[in-house]
C-alpha cells in the first residue's frame, strides 16, 4: 500500500487501514467481515464524507505483483 501516510493528512481523513497479509487474495466484500480494510472520514455532511472516502480510494495504490 503506497500513499497512505500522505492520504491520512487530507482534510476529513481520520484513519486508513488495510488488514491483509502479503500474498493474500482480496475478494469482493459480500458482508462486513469480508472487508480488507477501511477509510474513516468525517465532514459536515454525509455526501462530503463520502467524497473524502472516494478521493482516498482513487489515490491509494495497492501493489499486486
Amino acid at each position: 500500500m503506497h500513499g497512505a501516510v500522505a492520504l491520512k493528512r487530507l482534510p476529513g481523513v481520520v484513519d486508513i487501514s488495510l488488514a491483509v497479509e502479503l500474498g493474500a487474495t482480496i475478494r469482493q466484500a459480500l458482508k462486513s467481515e469480508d472487508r480488507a480494510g477501511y477509510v474513516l472520514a468525517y465532514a459536515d455532511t454525509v455526501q462530503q464524507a463520502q467524497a473524502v472516502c472516494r478521493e482516498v480510494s482513487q489515490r491509494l495504490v495497492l501493489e499486486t505483483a
Side-chain angles (χ1 to χ4, degrees):
M1 177 167 68
H2 300 285
V5 173
L7 291 172
K8 285 182 179 181
R9 294 186 194 122
L10 288 174
V13 175
V14 175
D15 194 19
I16 300 170
S17 177
L18 185 63
V20 294
E21 305 224 358
L22 185 62
T25 300
I26 301 174
R27 293 184 168 72
Q28 179 182 2
L30 300 176
K31 56 187 181 225
S32 186
E33 299 87 44
D34 296 340
R35 298 190 188 287
Y38 62 85
V39 175
L40 181 60
Y42 73 92
D44 291 335
T45 68
V46 170
Q47 293 81 9
Q48 289 171 332
Q50 289 171 332
V52 171
C53 291
R54 274 192 303 277
E55 181 176 356
V56 170
S57 67
Q58 291 170 354
R59 293 176 57 182
L60 191 63
V61 176
L62 300 175
E63 190 172 313
T64 59

